[in-house]
Amino acid sequence: MDNNKKLLFVKDGVDVFIQRNSNYSESGNPADGFRTSVYKHFESNMRVVVCRTSSPVFTLNIYVPTASTNDKGIPHTLEHLVFSGSKRYPTRGYMDALAAHNYSVGINAWTSVDHTCYTLAAAAEDAVANVLPVYLDHILNPLLHNEHFVTEVYHYDETGKEKGVVFSEMTMYENNEMARGYYRLNGLMYNPSATYMHCNGGRTGDISKLTNEEIIDYHRKYYDANNVTVVLTGTFSDEFEETYLQTIPPDIVQSRGCDSRAFMDCSPRRDGHLRHDSLRFPSSNASSGSINFGWHGPEHQD
């Protein structure tokens, strides 16, 4: 490597050996665990964590912290829209084709209550390296066109019925006994301002009021390189950092200065009160139901 060239990612501390019993050390037996290296972007808080496991499958997971302040499901809708094209790669479906060409089992994603994760599994490290910059461009620089919003999120079809990939998905979810019980339980356990209070997938009545401008604003706040953590697992070579990480186009991972990791309200209700509620909904079987219960554990620092 040219020593005069500025590195895009620099080593963040020493390698850590993670053993199967969850102990951490700077050395260890490879048969009992794996070595982990952390690389940090030279000017932002973006990190790449390389876990050199013995698995024959190479995995890529890109994490973005995403909070909800309402039930419009903005994190979930944005997850869908990310795959509709980016500034460098505007053709919809390009990333799927690239992943298939690189012997991948496909790209996928999920939205949780406090983060969104974009995934890939492939048979070789160069396959992961080929997809990584394209994936990052879709995540950090998506097109977010209005026509994509109409198709993926919400619209009326020619018969006047409410449609949209996200809207239809959440329509099925809202009629799920487990899901409805889960969100009602969270409403009892967390403060009204907590992200866990809200339906991160979105409620259909609120999705219908969502606008593409709100999604664009949300992306600007949360989807910044400052907030992104990339986790790679597999038998990655020691040359992966020099050969692949340093060759990611710098403009793709350029931070706009936003940092949404500074604070995310996850506060539970801690007034000592026992809360309970009943939830009724139509069912083909009136002879059985379900019970959800939860409790607060110790603080995460304990």
Side-chain angles (χ1 to χ4, degrees):
M1 178 182 294
D2 184 358
N3 293 328
N4 295 321
K5 183 179 179 180
K6 192 170 186 178
L7 298 177
L8 189 63
F9 290 91
V10 296
K11 196 75 169 289
D12 189 15
V14 298
D15 289 356
V16 175
F17 195 88
I18 301 179
Q19 297 176 309
R20 290 175 182 172
N21 59 5
S22 298
N23 290 332
Y24 299 84
S25 65
E26 294 180 13
S27 63
N29 182 358
D32 297 327
F34 56 89
R35 180 166 57 92
T36 299
S37 306
V38 179
Y39 301 92
K40 183 178 179 294
H41 189 273
F42 78 98
E43 65 177 4
S44 76
N45 290 320
M46 179 179 176
R47 284 178 170 80
V48 178
V49 182
V50 183
C51 304
R52 292 180 170 87
T53 65
S54 59
S55 171
V57 178
F58 293 79
T59 67
L60 162 64
N61 294 274
I62 304 174
Y63 293 90
V64 184
T66 50
S68 296
T69 57
N70 53 52
D71 293 324
K72 292 185 176 181
I74 300 179
H76 181 213
T77 57
L78 184 50
E79 173 216 312
H80 280 252
L81 291 171
V82 156
F83 295 102
S84 296
S86 69
K87 291 182 179 179
R88 277 178 174 259
Y89 311 97
T91 303
R92 188 169 185 170
Y94 174 81
M95 192 159 57
D96 293 280
L98 177 65
H101 183 73
N102 281 274
Y103 303 102
S104 165
V105 295
I107 54 176
N108 209 337
W110 75 76
T111 302
S112 186
V113 288
D114 53 13
H115 71 274
T116 303
C117 181
Y118 299 87
T119 68
L120 172 83
E125 73 171 38
D126 57 347
V128 173
N130 290 338
V131 177
L132 177 57
V134 180
Y135 221 152
L136 287 172
D137 195 54
H138 277 71
I139 292 170
L140 296 174
N141 306 297
L143 295 177
L144 300 181
H145 287 167
N146 287 334
E147 57 265 31
H148 297 155
F149 172 86
V150 171
T151 303
E152 287 292 323
V153 183
Y154 182 76
H155 65 274
Y156 286 96
D157 68 8
E158 66 278 5
T159 66
K161 291 184 179 180
E162 294 176 296
K163 294 291 184 178
V165 176
V166 173
F167 183 87
S168 299
E169 179 183 336
M170 297 313 298
T171 297
M172 294 185 293
Y173 199 66
E174 283 184 351
N175 294 322
N176 181 285
E177 177 184 359
M178 295 284 290
R180 297 186 66 175
Y182 169 78
Y183 283 112
R184 180 61 66 89
L185 178 63
N186 281 354
L188 296 174
M189 293 185 63
Y190 291 95
N191 284 323
S193 59
T195 184
Y196 298 143
M197 255 296 273
H198 302 287
C199 178
N200 58 287
R203 300 186 189 279
T204 53
D206 294 281
I207 293 173
S208 64
K209 302 171 186 175
L210 179 63
T211 66
N212 197 35
E213 288 70 26
E214 290 177 277
I215 297 174
I216 293 172
D217 289 340
Y218 187 92
H219 181 273
R220 189 179 296 114
K221 178 179 180 180
Y222 287 96
Y223 276 62
D224 189 278
N226 255 328
N227 307 326
V228 170
T229 299
V230 178
V231 179
L232 306 170
T233 65
T235 54
F236 285 93
S237 66
D238 290 333
E239 293 74 35
F240 182 83
E241 173 260 343
E242 178 178 347
T243 306
Y244 297 116
L245 287 186
Q246 306 302 346
T247 61
I248 295 175
D251 61 297
I252 290 180
V253 291
Q254 179 69 38
S255 172
R256 299 182 301 275
C258 299
D259 188 355
S260 63
R261 291 196 275 196
F263 177 76
M264 183 181 293
D265 188 356
C266 306
S267 57
R269 301 178 189 266
R270 290 195 177 277
D271 52 15
H273 293 163
L274 178 65
R275 290 180 171 82
H276 59 86
D277 199 1
S278 297
L279 178 65
R280 296 178 181 274
F281 63 94
S283 173
S284 59
N285 185 356
S287 64
S288 63
S290 63
I291 299 176
N292 295 319
F293 58 91
W295 61 91
H296 299 303
E299 295 289 344
H300 67 276
Q301 297 96 337
D302 294 348

